[in-house]
Amino acid sequence: MSGPSVTPSSTASPPPRLPNEPAVTPALAAERGLSGEEYGQLRAILGRDPSWTELGVASALWSEHCSYKSSKVYLREFPTSGPRVLQGPGENAGVVDVGHGWVAVFKMESHNHPSYIEPYQGAATGVGGILRDIFTMGARPIACLNALRFGEIDAPRMRYLIDGVVRGVGDYGNCFGVPTVGGETAFHRCYNGNILVNAFALGVARHDEIFKARASGAGNPILYAGSRTGRDGIHGATMASESFDIESEAKRPTVQVGDPFTEKILLEACLEAMKTGAIVAIQDMGAAGLTSSTFEMAGRGGTGMRLDLEKVPLREPGLSPYEMMLSESQERMVVLAKRGREEEVERVFRRWGLEIAEIGEITDGGRALLCFHGETYADIPIEPLTEQAPVYRRPTAPPPDLAARWEAPTLPEIGHPVETLERLLDTPDFGSKRWIWRQYDHTVRTNTVRGPGGDAAVVRLKGTPSALALTADVNPIYCQLDPERGGMQAVAEAVRNLACVGAEPVGLTDCLNFGNPQNPHVAWQLQQSVLGLSAACRALDVPVISGNVSLYNETQTESGPQSIYPTPAVAMVGLIPLLGHLPESHFEQAGDRILLLGRDRAEFGGSAWLRLLHDLEQGRPPEVDLDAESKLALLLRELIGAGLLSTAHDLSEGGLAIAAAEACFGRRLGARLEVSTPLELFSETQARALVACPPAHSIEILRAAERHGVPAREIGEVGGDDLAFEVGGETFRAPVARLEAIWERALPKALGL
Amino acid sequence: MKVGVVVFPGSNCDHDVYHAFSHVLDCEAMFLWHGDETIHGCDLVVLPGGFAYGDYLRAGALAALSPVMSAVRRHAREGGLVLGICNGFQVLLEAGLLPGAMRRNQGLRFLCQDVYLRVERNDLPFTSRLRVGQVLRLPIAHAEGNYEDSPERLDALEDRRQVVFRYCGPDGSICAFDAELNPNGAARAIAGIANEQGNVFGLMPHPERSVESLLGNSDGLAMLAGTVASLTPLGEARA
Amino acid sequence: MIQARVTVYPRREILDPQGKAIGDALSRLGFQGVVSVRAGKSFEIELDSAEVSGARRQLEDMCERLLANTVVEDYEIEILGEDGR
Amino acid sequence: MIQARVTVYPRREILDPQGKAIGDALSRLGFQGVVSVRAGKSFEIELDSAEVSGARRQLEDMCERLLANTVVEDYEIEILGEDGR
Ligand SMILES: Nc1ncnc2c1ncn2[C@@H]1O[C@H](COP(=O)(O)OP(=O)(O)O)[C@@H](O)[C@H]1O
Ligand SMILES: [Mg+2]
């Protein structure tokens, strides 16, 4: 790990201790998550033993959650720049130029452990946290996605967790007034003891409206705005950095409760206050609340600060400096104002009915003084703590059974392909997610051109001819079998989903959800996934502009620690420069010709068909041909731009059969497809899309495909009441109405509703 | 002709309503602050959707106490037009400007989906551009749209022809007990009502979300355009 | 200091979907003999007031004007204690 | 027949946005001396059960499993009466 620059302390003896505060010992430090080495580093930085408050601050800042100490070395792999990128990783959220003087600001965050403890509040505060990251930057949130991974529905507590998470995501976003336009929901036993709740938010702002959390100007007042501070979530950041044991009930911090109403007026107050020109920098209080917000702000700006903690508005009396610094009460902001103009800012917040108080000021000299009723409880150099946090290159090792995992699976008989399709549609994995997204307001703000239910969602940019497209993707089964390919595939599928609405990727954000990085196999998964993501991002020209790492997603069970599958969730934003006719993801018109773009191969490694119907997770996942992906995306964008397509739907999990069925449901239109073998229907070969067009356009499309070097052929026609597969000479068919009914009921049925 | 859009803390469809009137229907529109006791001479006052004061306690209950509501009351008493959409409808109920009350949706879940509405009367400014029996498709997005009142008062409501919109099927058929057609379980499938004078109108669905074909549905346009037209000299439309 | 509790219930004649849902859920959980469930709200209010009768009048006023929607709800006021607990 | 009332409140240390909003509103309405408001739920449950102690145990079980979320809420059980009112 990198050695810190040792700044000698100004106070030789440690700051005072409150009566009930323990004396700091290496053992206590270990309890707070600091390794012996890290504790040594802290003592070196201070030139003495830390006080209890200093220990709290350091252990929070150096927690995995805040410091990324185990993942930093890998994240450096990501391509983070590009012509459109105005702000890459490192701020509250990334910023890309989307034309007409507008920028898009977006990020994805995990709230996994809190959601497992208290699903409703955990998910709600997850959404609240990511929304604050967006409007902290000066952008107004215009759309959300949520990527959810649950365990088997019959696992203990799982129905309760699903219901709570969905209500939590819904209630918070609905009340705040941001449309939740899409997401992902998957179920797998590897999440039985550790569900994943990843929330994404997108905001927009004018170029010159962007704010950064970089402190400057000694003497500038540090203002505290929003909800009062309680004992909520103390040690949340450190908890998010520990693996989950069954007793975590015991060391469970006070649950953070979300207040979307306060968040909404906080949004309006912040955006209005930013317009006064009296704000230097602004930062939300997220994980490790007041500590991370103030230290990161000062750290980025290379300044010092003094906080007078007795001025922090409290919800309950008697919080110690330690508790105030570590509380994770929600809906709070740190606002750095220009000295002399603070009233302008305060007036706005008060007008919106929000509390705002001056709690300290920026100083020179790079030290943090945390004072309480005149006494100094912490006196720490900021920069060594924030910018020189420990960094680890954990040992990595591929799983011993990798070769075995990659052995091609022996394929069972498919039998009747339509029956196979029906059984797939009847699983919560493939069943419609309408039960979920109908609980989310996805039309508020009147920008939603395409909401949930298709490939990518599309929101128009008011006042411009453009629109933004959003999608969230990853296939953890692929990642488990081959994390590098899995990473590539996630990016490739996202690009494909965007291309199906004619959008060109402008940036990506990710949530790297993994197990315990101190396990070399998990570290290897992390390393390999990031390699895959990075390779795909480079090849497909998608900069990574923000992201989040969630490690220690494992459960202590009788049979030892259980890590989740590697789940590098990807959320991608695309630009539709000139919003014209968009194809639907379903069939529009009887008589339309159906074409398959992309080459056919029989690839079943990690396929949904084998997993869901034969309980087989075997084989190397489908190859990811990045060149083919980029050609396909180009082709789709060109065809859509030329208005040639009435339907475009990408092929992903479940292959052609699932894509065709989904395409039939939208308007309950039948279709006839010709394939040479039943297997062809369920292969998960990548870089493919199903499109439909008026007969007259078919030739032109085939020509364009040839020009782009994308294999393409006409495979059928839209029409009738049945979905019919012609395999060789034989025809297998089922009424679309019946398939749709199965698909619509699958999830509610599994939930017992 | 000036449209005022009330901004309560927690309103979140205020910008949408403003956009519909100002940019789509091209009329003069302004925001009205909940804390001011005036509507600045607006001819039409719209209470937008959202979660005013978080809808804590009961939807609309806390907002109904805002200073601006006394000005809205005065405006209504003088025959001025007041339109409440979704949360705005709930505020009108809690403020006593419209009869009845809202309960949680029968399924106890927030619902965001399209519904079909049958127009019950078109002799109001709000419905002047609609036909009786016409079926509209509009989105709903609420957790408390389950309209409720005592049977006697519901009868009285019907007798006075105060029911303006009802949830229905695509063909206009009404079945209050069909959760598909009447998803929130509203009594007698009531989706929108007016006061006796017909100048105060509240509905749960969101016409302002359906005024641009770009977003896939413009069934709300005629309602808003008609309302504007009724206030414009010679009733000629601005849209 | 006076501690009071206000309880607000949907009127008996008005159907209570939440109460019904909870009753059904309890039966599904295997609880025997649940005849009926009514779901209401409860408010614990601390008043800086000396005498109970005045506080009670004030609480009634609060219910009429805010805490209950008397179109569909009934309310009930209990004084829990004086000078805190 | 046993009539019981279950009251569920957010734990004291936990944020109660609803209670806070109601308290503020009461003050805006001009009610003096409202020190604090906590907003909770109340369930009136009718049990077809003979003896109180058994009913109480059953009710506790209901709270633990459904009526209260003990991660964030405390509950309280009162027996209002036997054989109806
Ligand atoms: N948790 C969720 N919230 C909102 N929308 C969701 C959620 N889960 C799935 N969806 C929507 O359901 C549709 C199907 O999801 P999915 O099968 O993952 O699409 P794809 O395979 O094209 O990525 C998508 O439109 C997606 O946005
Ligand atoms: Mg797709």
Side-chain angles (χ1 to χ4, degrees), chain A residues 163 259 438 443 445 460, chain B residues 16 56 109 112 209 212:
Chain A
D163 180 70
D259 179 0
R438 151 166 124 148
T443 50
R445 299 208 61 78
R460 57 115 172 242
Chain B
D16 303 358
Y56 296 135
R109 287 179 191 280
C112 179
R209 296 188 189 185
E212 294 168 281

Side-chain angles (χ1 to χ4, degrees), chain A residues 145-148 180-185 429 433 436-437 440 451-456 471-473 493 497 649-650 652-653 662:
Chain A
L145 302 173
N146 65 125
L148 311 177
T180 300
V181 295
E184 276 198 299
T185 312
D429 309 68
K433 306 300 186 294
I436 293 172
W437 51 255
Y440 301 157
D455 283 330
T471 181
D473 298 281
E493 182 176 349
N497 277 323
H649 188 22
D650 82 308
S652 53
E653 257 195 309
E662 287 174 345

